[in-house]
Amino acid sequence: MSTIKLKVEAVALDWKGTPIVVLREDAGQRAVFIWVGIGEAAAISMHLEGQQPPRPLTHDLIVLILDTTHAKVERVVITDVRGSTYHADLHLRTEGSANAIDCRPSDAIAVALRTGAPIYIDGDLLDRLDKERKESEIEFSPGATPVDPGEATVH
Amino acid sequence: MSTIKLKVEAVALDWKGTPIVVLREDAGQRAVFIWVGIGEAAAISMHLEGQQPPRPLTHDLIVLILDTTHAKVERVVITDVRGSTYHADLHLRTEGSANAIDCRPSDAIAVALRTGAPIYIDGDLLDRLDKERKESEIEFSPGATPVDPGEATVH
């Protein structure tokens, strides 16, 4: 599987107020948008903004557990989208072995940011997502609706 | 430190809609009320109700990490309240050693429920909380306001 490195660009809200994490190719322009829960969005954005919570958040506890068990996050990889649900692997190096734990990308990203681990996406998946996004933009772009509804009432 | 075993009784909402976890003495009647975040309340109540989320929640990921690193949660202990903030220790047994990780009780409880680890509270802390709660009930009980406001307008 060839993978492409991503950077976390922002946490935003969609027009319904649902949080989205925006990731972008580290060496390119293609973006990945992942809808996430409120808690995970807070965990990611607090880290991006350099805010220190008064008490460890759940993802800070994960980092404390990793330190205690001498496990290292080598990388996280966004592996798949099934329906509208993204999947990721958290790659953990323990003393004896390398392990990939299937998890939600939001958790993987929150942990990666706190441990300095790199974030990747499967190359074929990024190609597919970018293609789907472009098709959806063509479908909804103003150019696809040649008649201006305001003008239509004049004729 | 003498500790007292607790059981998780319920997740409720206070009158402002903030989630509370209600814990009660395993061998007694005294209760402990801990205000928690929405995500942690969901993690606890989903487990109490036996709901299986379609994807692992953050606390399910913690359990997967503990399994991968061969770490065992021996117990969690609610240790202190500073201001209105509760503190807990997550006691982890790793291959080499025993460790206590300072964390939020909500995270500790969500992990304890998923691993079958027992939940305790410091005995002196429970005495103090129970005393404070009783004093606050006397202060706000109807008996402490002998004049019925409805009747007061008649005189």
Side-chain angles (χ1 to χ4, degrees):
Chain A
M1 178 168 87
S2 89
T3 57
I4 291 164
K5 195 173 179 188
L6 300 175
K7 59 191 176 222
V8 181
E9 193 167 86
V11 178
L13 297 178
D14 73 3
W15 64 280
K16 285 184 179 171
T18 308
I20 311 173
V21 176
V22 184
L23 302 114
R24 196 172 295 277
E25 276 183 294
D26 200 41
Q29 284 304 312
R30 290 181 296 176
V32 178
F33 303 88
I34 302 183
W35 276 254
V36 301
I38 290 170
E40 293 71 34
I44 293 167
S45 81
M46 283 186 78
H47 188 91
L48 290 178
E49 291 167 10
Q51 289 183 41
Q52 284 292 334
R55 296 287 297 144
L57 300 180
T58 311
H59 296 89
D60 301 317
L61 175 60
I62 290 179
V63 174
L64 291 170
I65 290 172
L66 292 169
D67 287 347
T68 302
T69 58
H70 308 293
K72 186 178 184 297
V73 181
E74 292 194 308
R75 63 188 181 286
V76 309
V77 184
I78 300 165
T79 52
D80 200 4
V81 184
R82 297 175 207 156
S84 58
T85 306
Y86 281 76
H87 289 242
D89 280 340
L90 182 75
H91 289 264
L92 270 196
R93 163 78 53 186
T94 59
E95 275 165 26
S97 58
N99 312 269
I101 300 177
D102 172 41
C103 66
R104 297 181 299 175
S106 55
D107 285 327
I109 292 164
V111 171
L113 288 173
R114 283 163 172 75
T115 57
I119 301 166
Y120 296 92
I121 186 167
D122 176 83
D124 292 340
L125 177 60
L126 181 57
D127 290 345
R128 193 184 108 201
L129 291 172
D130 194 59
K131 187 165 171 284
E132 285 173 1
R133 194 178 62 79
K134 281 184 181 146
E135 284 171 0
S136 115
E137 280 186 4
I138 289 164
E139 195 179 327
F140 293 110
S141 71
T145 315
V147 180
D148 179 322
E151 287 188 8
T153 60
V154 175
H155 296 287
Chain B
M1 180 168 88
S2 89
T3 57
I4 291 164
K5 194 172 180 188
L6 299 174
K7 58 192 177 220
V8 181
E9 192 167 86
V11 178
L13 297 178
D14 75 3
W15 64 279
K16 284 184 177 170
T18 309
I20 311 174
V21 176
V22 184
L23 302 114
R24 196 173 292 277
E25 276 183 291
D26 201 40
Q29 284 304 313
R30 290 181 296 176
V32 178
F33 302 88
I34 302 182
W35 274 255
V36 302
I38 291 171
E40 292 71 34
I44 293 168
S45 80
M46 282 185 79
H47 188 90
L48 290 179
E49 292 167 8
Q51 288 182 42
Q52 284 292 334
R55 294 288 298 145
L57 300 180
T58 310
H59 296 89
D60 300 318
L61 174 59
I62 290 180
V63 174
L64 291 170
I65 289 172
L66 292 170
D67 287 347
T68 302
T69 58
H70 307 294
K72 186 176 182 297
V73 181
E74 293 193 306
R75 65 189 180 285
V76 309
V77 183
I78 299 166
T79 53
D80 201 4
V81 184
R82 295 173 209 159
S84 59
T85 306
Y86 281 76
H87 289 242
D89 280 341
L90 182 75
H91 289 265
L92 268 197
R93 163 79 53 186
T94 59
E95 274 165 27
S97 58
N99 312 268
I101 300 177
D102 172 42
C103 66
R104 299 181 298 176
S106 55
D107 285 330
I109 292 165
V111 171
L113 288 174
R114 284 164 172 75
T115 57
I119 301 167
Y120 296 93
I121 186 167
D122 176 82
D124 293 341
L125 177 61
L126 181 57
D127 290 345
R128 192 183 111 202
L129 291 172
D130 195 58
K131 187 164 169 283
E132 286 173 2
R133 194 178 61 79
K134 280 184 182 146
E135 285 170 0
S136 116
E137 279 186 5
I138 288 163
E139 195 179 327
F140 292 111
S141 73
T145 315
V147 179
D148 180 321
E151 286 187 10
T153 60
V154 175
H155 296 288

